[in-house]
Amino acid sequence: MTRTGPGVILTITAALAGILFSTPALAANPSPAETAAPEKVVWTAPDQEEAEKRAEEVVPFVEAVMDECRLCRQQRLRDVGLSVKDQSESYFLLNSPIIRKTEDHYGPVRFMHAKHAGVTKDCALCHHYRPLDETASETTRCSACHQEPFNKDHPERLGLKAAYHQQCMGCHQEMDKGPIDCAGCHRKNVPDHKDLIQLAANPEPFEVTSECLRCHKPAGEDMLKSAHWLWKGPSPYTLHHRKEVELGKATIATNNF
Amino acid sequence: MGLNRRDFFKYMAVAGATVAGSERSAHAWQSRAPSDPYGCLVDLTRCIGCRKCEEACNRVNALPAPDRSFEDLTLLDKKRRPDERAYTVVNRYVSGEIDKRDQLVPTFVKLQCMHCQDPACVSACIAVALTKKENGAVHYDVTKCIGCRYCMVACPFEIPAYEYHDPITPRVMKCTFCYERVESEKKLPGCAEICPVEAITFGRRKDLIKVARQRIKKNPGRYIDHVYGEKEVGGTSWMYLSGVPFEKLGLNALPEKPMPQLAETIQHSLFSYLWSPIVLFGMLGGVMWASKDKSDRAGNGGRSGNGKEGDYKGRML
Amino acid sequence: MTHHAAPVKAKFWTPGVVVLAFLMAAGAAAIIARFIGGIGYVSNLTTARPWGLWIGVDVASGVALAAGGFTTAFLAHIIGRHYYEPVVRPALLTAMLGYTFVVLGLMVDIGRSWAIWKPMLYWNPTSVLFEVAMCVMFYLNVLYLEFLPIVVERFKGGVNLPGPLAALNGPIDGLLKLADTILPKMMWFFIIAGVVLSCMHQSSLGSLMLIAPTKLHPLWYTPILPLLFLTSAIAVGYPMVVFEATLATKSLKLDSEMKLLTPLTRFTIFLLGLYLALKVGDIVVRGTYVYLLDFTAQTNAFLIEMVFGVIVPWLMLLSPKLRRSRQALFIACTMIVGGVLVNRINVFVVGYRPPISEANYFPAIGEILVTVGLIAALMFVYRFIVTYLPVLNKPEQEVSA
């Protein structure tokens, strides 16, 4: 990677700044270094800062790649002496602005690079091609080759989002290991409910419940079938007494909207 | 009384002329397909059935909220069709093939308007409410629609749906190919943009055909050697690649001839410049004139007998 | 030759008319429901089956069975067979009402009835339906103009409006007189135009389905479908006259008119024979006879259509004895009328089978009520008009050639 030098310096600066000013970690809001407004004290691990910073980078697009078969690729990596040991980071945040341009429904995936490398022991599994340019690094990040989808000049080159999904899900399926559903890797971005909720100034408890149910109707129905709603039991204070009282939402007694 | 032979031949000549017109060969039917439209290539071997395309379609087209959440994947097994509340749906098919883990291998099929190159609906529309745009979209303009539903009769893919429960202002509902997004906002169609695995490839139709051919060539074991929509009904803007025969996926075999060709050819050869009605009119006028003369001679004409109109009046009143 | 049409002197509210009024009320209720709850509320129409009973019967069959109008006009006025003039007026009335109710049926069926004028502004020359719509629109006006002289004849010089409207008596009478002078001079044009427009849209109704080769059953889907529609419409013209004249003369106790009807059906032997030959030739040439014994709903419907709607009545008409029998003639003509009705229903409803969703369709009660109500209304208006206008022949009057 050609930009490693300045990148590292910048990252260290950012990390320092983060520690000094206790910048809140903004997973959804990029550009951490500038927005050093000391509002809330939220500690963020330095490596997280670094990973966020790294995820924001968009590297120059690699136009041409060396098309070689999997075996040739594995051999080449052995020849240059690259192996699982040559890793700089333990994990990456997959949060490229290329994807975020069209997509805000899920949070970034924390890809445990070292762990995956350790398990598969085969760099060529993901680093399947290298740039045609001899001077370029042997392995590059995914987003060097996979950027915007449907590139007219490279009709068969997948976009970054599809490259991630096809690679991860395909391999998880193949190996019968690792998640293949959305929530297995992503946290869903919950939309800001401040604008969604329509309640009067001092709502009654019932109004609050019905406002939730306005959108989450199935959740409400599921709730009615769950133990949280159906639990029922004798009060320890009245147990074995003459006026035994049943507690729980399933009764009409207590805490039951 | 009765009909004499000569009159009958006159009549037959007229009928014959009409017949001859309709039988004239399909000489010059011209496709009106745009030369370089956009399209989408749906690779069914890539689709994972996440229904994100349905969700995105619902959002960008501001369609009504579904009865069941888009995250409910049990719906995939119902054989759904696009309807007035969903321009696109994904169905799951199983061919019986089993993978290494003894799981049935599913094939997910996304359905939506195919945006035909020579759309039957556009040819059929009584009032130009449906048009084929240069960018490939088959576009619906509700302000011209009268709700005759001939487009729905014509569509070989049974796609256009109708708001049957709106009494006064129902609309024909079908995939728009995100016409405004693609044309004005230079964005991708909602479904193609959101698809996490690029099962939908957006691009120029002719490039997509190349891409599809290349994928088949590169991976012949993975694909059926057929690009569904390349030739079907004269070509469609949306095309499919699959590893399972298309007939097993609800994508029926269809003729390669564009749907409107026969009807348009007949209409065109019969009614271009209204030649046949004019000829028929002239012939009937001639017959009327001749029969009037004859009936005058025979003495069974009208009272006045001074020309057609008087003649007619005498008989009619 | 003279014949005398006159208003029918009979009691209007007969039991039959009361039944018609009830059916009309039920149809009206269904139509109101359609305009409150939508088409989906009263019908079984779906995405895959967008056309049903209303298009098959109210529109397609309505147009075909109104063919008596142009076929009799052709016979009596264009090739000059004046002998048949007594049947022209009733046939004209049937056609006029038939087309009027075709348009009313369409208004119920199309989603945006208020937008029905839009095709006049936005022309789509490739659309068969556009051509049909334009022809029907013009032809309906032609029919009204052809019928106008009957109104003029009845009221000319005798306009007598009650109360404050009496002031309009003079102007209206003037208008009628003006129409009386102008209309006969133009009538030749309208008569020919009527025949031309009829030929155009009767055939184009068949072209409508040519755009759906994968949906219409191969027994009906043929490139000559427009020709078959035209010949069957022409063939059904005179049987429809017989059917309608027999019903009218029987129920109103008028002269039977057999002297006209028997020779009239001699043309039908040829016309229906031509249709039968085309139909048989078509299934032979295209080899679709292989489907005939499939015994599916569609192939059965085809057999019924051909056997009982064409072949049997054609054979009946071949016999001069049966042609002279009022009852046998009526039965044969009713079968022909029914055959064309079944044919149109088959082409637009039964034979229409969407191959992907394979959706079935059977008309909902609401659809049936609307269709029955419209037909009842047509008969009611017919009854009303013949009571007040000179359409049917005066009884006890010699009809001589």
Side-chain angles (χ1 to χ4, degrees):
Chain A
M1 253 154 282
T2 47
R3 287 198 177 172
T4 315
V8 167
I9 296 167
L10 211 71
T11 317
I12 292 167
T13 322
L16 281 174
I19 292 161
L20 286 176
F21 301 110
S22 307
T23 316
L26 301 168
N29 187 2
S31 67
E34 288 77 20
T35 54
E39 286 169 354
K40 274 187 203 160
V41 183
V42 178
W43 182 83
T44 315
D47 59 344
Q48 169 87 2
E49 291 275 350
E50 209 171 306
E52 276 166 15
K53 189 80 200 73
R54 196 175 189 285
E56 285 309 312
E57 290 168 21
V58 176
V59 297
F61 184 62
V62 175
E63 292 281 346
V65 294
M66 187 181 282
D67 191 355
E68 52 190 346
C69 70
R70 175 108 173 266
L71 276 175
C72 317
R73 180 82 184 125
Q74 284 168 336
Q75 189 56 48
R76 167 192 292 279
L77 289 170
R78 267 198 290 277
D79 289 350
V80 292
L82 268 177
S83 76
V84 176
K85 279 169 268 168
D86 302 295
Q87 292 185 82
S88 52
E89 328 281 334
S90 75
Y91 72 89
F92 297 106
L93 278 179
L94 309 185
N95 191 26
S96 169
I98 298 170
I99 294 178
R100 271 209 321 273
K101 214 189 278 178
T102 59
E103 190 70 65
D104 64 344
H105 303 96
Y106 288 92
V109 169
R110 182 186 295 258
F111 172 61
M112 309 309 286
H113 186 264
K115 191 178 155 198
H116 281 81
V119 169
T120 61
K121 296 192 180 60
D122 180 4
C123 307
L125 209 57
C126 299
H127 297 278
H128 53 143
Y129 291 148
R130 59 152 292 136
L132 196 58
D133 180 7
E134 292 292 336
T135 60
S137 156
E138 185 63 40
T139 56
T140 57
R141 50 163 83 190
C142 304
S143 65
C145 299
H146 299 283
Q147 298 199 338
E148 305 279 347
F150 316 129
N151 186 328
K152 229 179 279 168
D153 304 320
H154 304 277
E156 264 310 68
R157 189 87 62 90
L158 289 172
L160 183 57
K161 181 171 67 174
Y164 281 149
H165 283 116
Q166 281 199 17
Q167 187 65 30
C168 297
M169 295 172 72
C171 195
H172 288 178
Q173 215 149 21
E174 182 84 3
M175 308 255 172
D176 200 6
K177 217 170 192 177
I180 47 169
D181 58 326
C182 307
C185 304
H186 297 271
R187 179 178 55 81
K188 203 163 184 202
N189 280 348
V190 179
D192 189 356
H193 276 55
K194 243 187 285 172
D195 307 324
L196 297 175
I197 295 169
Q198 303 159 3
L199 273 177
N202 285 312
E204 293 290 312
F206 285 109
E207 288 170 0
V208 178
T209 309
S210 64
E211 177 61 14
C212 295
L213 288 174
R214 189 166 58 87
C215 299
H216 299 285
K217 209 173 166 206
E221 282 157 10
D222 291 349
M223 167 70 184
L224 294 180
K225 292 175 195 132
S226 73
H228 296 291
W229 184 259
L230 296 174
W231 74 272
K232 182 175 149 178
S235 161
Y237 299 105
T238 60
L239 196 62
H240 306 312
H241 285 75
R242 203 148 49 86
K243 288 185 177 173
E244 196 172 296
V245 172
E246 291 278 310
L247 285 181
K249 297 221 180 206
T251 69
I252 46 162
T254 359
N255 191 17
N256 183 349
F257 292 121
Chain B
M1 63 126 279
L3 172 82
N4 72 28
R5 222 160 263 275
R6 215 173 29 202
D7 287 338
F8 224 99
F9 286 131
K10 277 183 209 159
Y11 172 77
M12 281 312 296
V14 171
T18 322
V19 175
S22 67
E23 298 290 287
R24 259 176 19 171
S25 59
H27 52 99
W29 183 80
Q30 287 273 308
S31 167
R32 290 182 302 279
S35 52
D36 191 17
Y38 285 116
C40 282
L41 177 67
V42 185
D43 191 332
L44 300 181
T45 66
R46 288 184 181 178
C47 180
I48 53 168
C50 64
R51 299 187 65 208
K52 294 285 172 217
C53 49
E54 292 186 40
E55 187 178 356
C57 178
N58 178 281
R59 188 178 60 248
V60 303
N61 291 299
L63 295 172
D67 293 334
R68 282 161 77 180
S69 148
F70 287 110
E71 273 159 41
D72 182 350
L73 298 184
T74 59
L75 251 62
L76 289 165
D77 284 327
K78 270 210 227 150
K79 294 287 171 278
R80 295 174 301 152
R81 302 280 311 161
D83 61 26
E84 71 275 15
R85 300 175 63 194
Y87 293 158
T88 186
V89 294
V90 179
N91 289 330
R92 169 166 42 204
Y93 289 83
V94 284
S95 63
E97 193 197 336
I98 284 175
D99 69 4
K100 277 181 262 174
R101 287 176 292 157
D102 284 346
Q103 302 278 317
L104 283 167
V105 177
T107 304
F108 300 98
V109 184
K110 177 185 186 296
L111 296 173
Q112 74 295 309
C113 173
M114 299 286 282
H115 299 276
C116 307
Q117 282 288 74
D118 280 298
C121 57
V122 170
S123 170
C125 180
I126 191 171
V128 220
L130 286 156
T131 45
K132 177 76 174 173
K133 298 285 188 188
E134 272 306 306
N135 76 358
V138 173
H139 183 259
Y140 173 66
D141 178 358
V142 71
T143 63
K144 294 176 181 169
C145 180
I146 70 165
C148 67
R149 307 191 296 286
Y150 190 29
C151 50
M152 300 166 64
V153 170
C155 176
F157 299 100
E158 299 167 34
I159 290 298
Y162 203 62
E163 294 182 318
Y164 280 112
H165 287 279
D166 185 329
I168 306 297
T169 56
R171 292 169 294 173
V172 169
M173 303 295 273
K174 70 161 200 76
C175 161
T176 60
F177 206 168
C178 289
Y179 177 70
E180 293 299 327
R181 274 171 71 91
V182 172
E183 189 65 19
S184 321
E185 301 169 33
K186 302 291 172 205
K187 285 192 200 161
L188 296 167
C191 53
E193 181 184 273
I194 204 156
C195 182
V197 289
E198 268 177 49
I200 306 166
T201 307
F202 175 84
R204 293 285 174 188
R205 184 174 184 272
K206 58 175 195 287
D207 298 335
L208 292 177
I209 294 172
K210 275 186 221 146
V211 167
R213 291 265 158 243
Q214 210 175 344
R215 276 188 212 170
I216 295 172
K217 200 173 148 197
K218 251 184 145 174
N219 215 332
R222 185 184 171 107
Y223 295 105
I224 299 286
D225 188 13
H226 180 90
V227 184
Y228 190 87
E230 183 187 1
K231 301 248 172 67
E232 275 76 9
V233 298
T236 55
S237 279
W238 278 67
M239 293 171 289
Y240 288 80
L241 279 178
S242 168
V244 176
F246 289 103
E247 310 83 73
K248 291 186 182 165
L249 304 174
L251 297 169
N252 291 21
L254 285 167
E256 290 184 4
K257 200 168 89 166
M259 292 286 125
Q261 188 172 336
L262 179 62
E264 279 184 14
T265 305
I266 290 177
Q267 287 297 99
H268 183 78
S269 42
L270 266 183
F271 298 118
S272 53
Y273 310 108
L274 292 175
W275 73 267
S276 70
I278 291 168
V279 168
L280 184 60
F281 193 97
M283 292 176 79
L284 290 175
V287 171
M288 198 174 184
W289 183 262
S291 69
K292 181 198 73 82
D293 284 353
K294 193 185 62 199
S295 54
D296 280 353
R297 279 196 300 276
N300 64 349
R303 282 173 291 224
S304 46
N306 57 349
K308 267 177 205 135
E309 51 281 357
D311 189 12
Y312 170 77
K313 183 185 173 189
R315 289 162 191 173
M316 190 72 181
L317 302 182
Chain C
M1 170 207 101
T2 53
H3 73 271
H4 293 280
V8 172
K9 291 191 190 70
K11 209 177 87 183
F12 185 77
W13 287 101
T14 58
V17 176
V18 173
V19 171
L20 289 183
F22 271 113
L23 294 176
M24 282 161 67
I31 290 174
I32 290 168
R34 177 255 175 268
F35 282 103
I36 291 173
I39 297 170
Y41 184 62
V42 292
S43 79
N44 282 342
L45 298 174
T46 57
T47 299
R49 301 299 300 256
W51 283 0
L53 185 72
W54 292 339
I55 294 293
V57 175
D58 304 13
V59 178
S61 304
V63 167
L65 298 183
F70 87 95
T71 47
T72 52
F74 175 82
L75 188 66
H77 297 314
I78 292 184
I79 61 172
R81 304 285 104 197
H82 307 303
Y83 178 76
Y84 296 104
E85 277 189 10
V87 298
V88 170
R89 279 191 177 190
L92 176 63
L93 176 61
T94 317
M96 184 185 81
L97 292 179
Y99 275 87
T100 305
F101 279 87
V102 162
V103 174
L104 292 179
L106 268 177
M107 297 288 272
V108 177
D109 180 77
I110 66 171
R112 302 177 158 228
S113 315
W114 49 270
I116 197 168
W117 54 272
K118 284 186 175 174
M120 287 193 277
L121 211 61
Y122 309 111
W123 295 13
N124 184 8
T126 65
S127 171
V128 180
L129 193 59
F130 171 73
E131 191 234 307
V132 172
M134 290 299 112
C135 284
V136 168
M137 184 189 75
F138 282 119
Y139 186 48
L140 186 59
N141 287 304
V142 164
L143 283 170
Y144 288 147
L145 286 168
E146 286 187 53
F147 194 76
L148 201 52
I150 299 171
V151 182
V152 171
E153 177 191 320
R154 168 71 177 77
F155 293 109
K156 184 180 57 169
V159 179
N160 188 14
L161 294 171
L165 294 173
L168 295 171
N169 283 348
I172 290 178
D173 206 39
L175 275 179
L176 290 179
K177 285 208 173 89
L178 186 69
D180 194 35
T181 11
I182 294 173
L183 279 175
K185 293 190 167 54
M186 321 261 294
M187 203 45 82
W188 67 274
F189 178 84
F190 294 130
I191 287 170
I192 303 178
V195 175
V196 172
L197 287 167
S198 292
C199 287
M200 285 170 78
H201 72 260
Q202 292 285 5
S203 60
S204 295
L205 267 175
S207 310
L208 276 181
M209 278 296 153
L210 293 185
I211 203 155
T214 58
K215 293 181 173 175
L216 186 58
H217 193 283
L219 279 173
W220 291 281
Y221 187 89
T222 160
I224 64 161
L225 196 55
L227 181 62
L228 291 176
F229 264 53
L230 179 62
T231 45
S232 59
I234 293 171
V236 83
Y238 303 141
M240 191 62 197
V241 169
V242 174
F243 176 75
E244 169 257 310
T246 311
L247 279 187
T249 52
K250 192 97 185 164
S251 64
L252 298 171
K253 300 181 181 60
L254 305 173
D255 296 341
S256 76
E257 293 183 343
M258 282 304 284
K259 262 189 245 171
L260 275 85
L261 302 183
T262 301
L264 193 60
T265 47
R266 281 183 52 197
F267 304 116
T268 307
I269 298 173
F270 171 75
L271 295 170
L272 194 66
L274 177 70
Y275 173 62
L276 179 62
L278 285 171
K279 203 78 170 153
V280 171
D282 175 59
I283 63 171
V284 170
V285 169
R286 290 184 306 116
T288 49
Y289 50 82
V290 296
Y291 299 104
L292 279 180
L293 296 179
D294 280 2
F295 297 115
T296 64
Q298 274 120 5
T299 58
N300 290 345
F302 184 85
L303 288 176
I304 290 170
E305 171 198 328
M306 286 309 292
V307 173
F308 296 105
V310 185
I311 297 171
V312 172
W314 186 66
L315 293 174
M316 283 173 78
L317 287 185
L318 284 181
S319 150
K321 202 178 128 211
L322 290 182
R323 263 186 284 138
R324 277 193 295 274
S325 149
R326 191 182 186 192
Q327 201 175 2
L329 189 72
F330 178 70
I331 291 171
C333 288
T334 307
M335 286 172 88
I336 297 170
V337 168
V340 169
L341 178 73
V342 171
N343 172 258
R344 298 307 192 259
I345 295 174
N346 280 349
V347 169
F348 286 96
V349 183
V350 179
Y352 184 87
R353 189 186 44 172
I356 299 175
S357 51
E358 289 172 341
N360 287 317
Y361 162 83
F362 193 83
I365 186 78
E367 288 174 88
I368 296 170
L369 284 181
V370 169
T371 296
V372 170
L374 286 175
I375 294 170
L378 187 152
M379 293 167 77
F380 185 88
V381 176
Y382 181 96
R383 182 71 172 74
F384 182 82
I385 288 180
V386 298
T387 309
Y388 291 98
L389 292 178
V391 175
L392 296 177
N393 283 324
K394 228 185 255 181
E396 294 109 29
Q397 187 86 30
E398 275 295 281
V399 178
S400 56

